[in-house]
Structures are given as structure tokens and as C-alpha cells.
Amino acid sequence: MSDVQCTVKIVREPIDCAGLLAAVADPGCGATVLFVGSTRDHNEGHRVVRLEYEAYEEMALQEMNKIARAASTQWRLGKLAMVHRLGPVPLGEASVAVAASAPHRADAFAAARFAIDELKKTVPIWKKEFFDGGEVWIGLQGHPSNPK
């Protein structure tokens, strides 16, 4: 079993990216990678005016922990942290972030990429986009917990 320190959170306030970097700081690591996903003002030809995120929080945290454990066993890491924001997220602000530290950059990049890709595929978090003339739920279209 890996002894990598993993932190996963769901928050309703702005994501503290500096805090996330501090959470993965490790004097034994020479590389730290931070991925920040932010809300954008357009999607598939629509001008997005507002975004909101909802989740099945208990299951989301369980899935995020599974992802963190999987990453910590696949790559040589110091620490890993993942956070997703719920509720309204103003355009341009962070909605999700992943930080990974490792002795070398290849492991930090690979683990962070794996963590965000798996989070987007498996964690029951949905995004509602509001655009001129409508709104639509986006996310986990094939997941059994999808509310559609």
C-alpha cells in the first residue's frame, strides 16, 4: 500500500490554489504540477453566461479518493491533492484543481493528468450551463448516477 498523502475536497467557495500547492509541498520532491480547470464563457457555439455545479457529494468524494489512491500506486509521488467547487462559479474562476508532487516531473505530470481525466470521467459532478436562450446539464452522460 502506498504511503502517499492524498487530499480530496469538495468546496463551495473559491478554490485556494496557493493552499493546494502548499498541501503537496514536500522537500523530497523536485517537481510540482498544478492543473486548474476554470469556467469559460463559451461552449459548442453558445455564449455561456453562468455556470453551476452539483454533485452526489458522498459518492464524489469516494470516487476522488479512489482516483488519488490509483495515482499514488501507479506513479512515484510525494503528495496529491484534488478539489472541486460546487454551486455557482463565476466565469473565469477555478472550478476544479489537481496538484501533484513527485521527485521527478514525469511522474508529477502523469499523475496530475490521470487524476483530472479520471475525475471528469467517473466522479458524479454535473455542470449546468446557462446561455443566451437556454440551459443544459453537462457531465457523466453514461454514468448510472446521471440525473437525466
Side-chain angles (χ1 to χ4, degrees), residues 44-57:
E44 298 185 2
H46 296 287
R47 187 177 78 82
V48 175
V49 296
R50 186 165 56 103
L51 289 160
E52 294 180 8
Y53 292 85
E54 291 188 14
Y56 177 7
E57 289 188 48

Side-chain angles (χ1 to χ4, degrees), residues 5 18-32 78-81 99-102:
Q5 180 181 334
L20 208 59
L21 286 172
V24 300
D26 185 330
C29 294
T32 301
K79 297 177 183 174
L80 180 75
S101 61

Side-chain angles (χ1 to χ4, degrees), residues 2-6 24 26 28-29 31 67-81 99-112 114-115:
S2 171
D3 61 351
V4 173
Q5 180 181 334
C6 298
V24 300
D26 185 330
C29 294
I67 293 166
R69 285 193 305 272
S72 69
T73 59
Q74 290 183 45
W75 292 280
R76 186 170 173 225
L77 297 177
K79 297 177 183 174
L80 180 75
S101 61
H104 302 286
R105 68 182 179 273
D107 287 330
F109 274 118
F114 169 81

